[in-house]
Amino acid sequence: MTMKEIKVRVPEGITEFSVQVNGETTTVIYDTKCVDNKEEWRPKDGYFYSIDNGNVVCSTAIYNGKYKPNFDGLVPFYCGINAGGKLVINIPQKGFGFGHYYEIRPATEEEKQRLFDALAQKGKRWNAQQKRIEDLPRWRADANKHYFFITSHLEVSNETEVFDGSDDARYNACNYFKTEEAAGRVAEQIREIFKNSKAE
């Protein structure tokens, strides 16, 4: 008996359908995990995608749908991690992209997290609602919690946040730290500046 191959294009979101062959109806359960849809998948603005390229560490980026790919089919992006693990934040320009459409696929949750972590290390984050890279907000203690600051004698002290004028002044002057160690490092940097200053 000769087997006949039947190809069926399944609409997005459909996981079960019926086909009729030689008058017999058969129900088919469509398992998306077993089908390679890489060629069919196209990202939308703000979608995370990855490129394997045969590398152990794949590249991951966020698709920028506001720009069209150039003649080489390069994919415009907001930011991404290249195969070397380096974060690239893109200022879109003609002819510049991250991968080609034929080699991209949806990023996994783990790959997305790698990109989030890389952004955080640079003090950045992805704003999914406004579709842009932005600076992380500076930390500020909750009411009645401690923070650290550097005194006029370049010593580290702590204070309780009550959102009064002194707290606001320290925060606005960036003399406001989450840990004693962080404040101590900055205090040491200031000492070095004073020590090497030529001012009279």
Side-chain angles (χ1 to χ4, degrees):
M1 181 178 176
T2 305
M3 297 289 292
K4 185 176 182 181
E5 181 181 343
I6 300 174
K7 292 185 177 180
V8 179
R9 184 177 295 275
V10 182
E12 185 177 352
I14 300 298
T15 59
E16 184 176 323
F17 59 94
S18 297
V19 293
Q20 192 173 59
V21 181
N22 296 331
E24 293 185 12
T25 301
T26 303
T27 299
V28 178
I29 304 298
Y30 179 67
D31 187 352
T32 56
K33 296 178 182 176
C34 299
V35 181
D36 182 5
N37 281 323
K38 182 170 66 174
E39 292 182 359
E40 298 294 329
W41 183 76
R42 284 291 180 266
K44 295 180 181 177
D45 191 33
Y47 275 27
F48 287 71
Y49 67 90
S50 288
I51 310 161
D52 287 323
N53 282 341
N55 296 310
V56 176
V57 180
C58 72
S59 308
T60 301
I62 303 173
Y63 175 65
N64 187 336
K66 298 179 182 131
Y67 293 83
K68 293 183 179 179
N70 73 352
F71 61 90
D72 286 328
L74 291 171
V75 184
F77 67 103
Y78 290 98
C79 70
I81 303 175
N82 63 22
K86 181 180 178 183
L87 177 68
V88 181
I89 297 178
N90 185 27
I91 300 174
Q93 51 187 304
K94 188 176 180 180
F96 190 56
F98 199 79
H100 296 81
Y101 277 112
Y102 62 81
E103 63 187 3
I104 68 175
R105 59 168 173 78
T108 65
E109 291 304 314
E110 183 179 345
E111 290 164 347
K112 291 178 187 178
Q113 191 58 54
R114 282 182 56 233
L115 183 49
F116 289 143
D117 292 344
L119 284 167
Q121 287 178 0
K122 297 291 185 182
K124 306 285 185 183
R125 69 178 178 186
W126 168 244
N127 185 324
Q129 289 184 330
Q130 297 182 12
K131 302 288 193 303
R132 64 186 179 92
I133 307 297
E134 61 186 17
D135 292 334
L136 281 170
R138 284 178 51 220
W139 175 83
R140 187 158 185 175
D142 293 331
N144 300 316
K145 299 293 184 180
H146 287 290
Y147 67 90
F148 296 87
F149 67 98
I150 302 167
T151 70
S152 59
H153 299 289
L154 298 183
E155 296 174 350
V156 176
S157 184
N158 67 76
E159 189 59 81
T160 301
E161 176 65 85
V162 294
F163 298 99
D164 65 5
S166 297
D167 296 331
D168 290 343
R170 292 183 189 117
Y171 184 82
N172 293 334
C174 297
N175 185 9
Y176 193 104
F177 303 90
K178 190 172 186 177
T179 65
E180 184 176 5
E181 292 75 18
R185 286 193 297 270
V186 174
E188 186 57 37
Q189 293 170 4
I190 296 172
R191 288 190 197 96
E192 286 298 313
I193 292 172
F194 285 167
K195 185 168 69 175
N196 297 316
S197 175
K198 304 297 181 185
E200 295 182 0

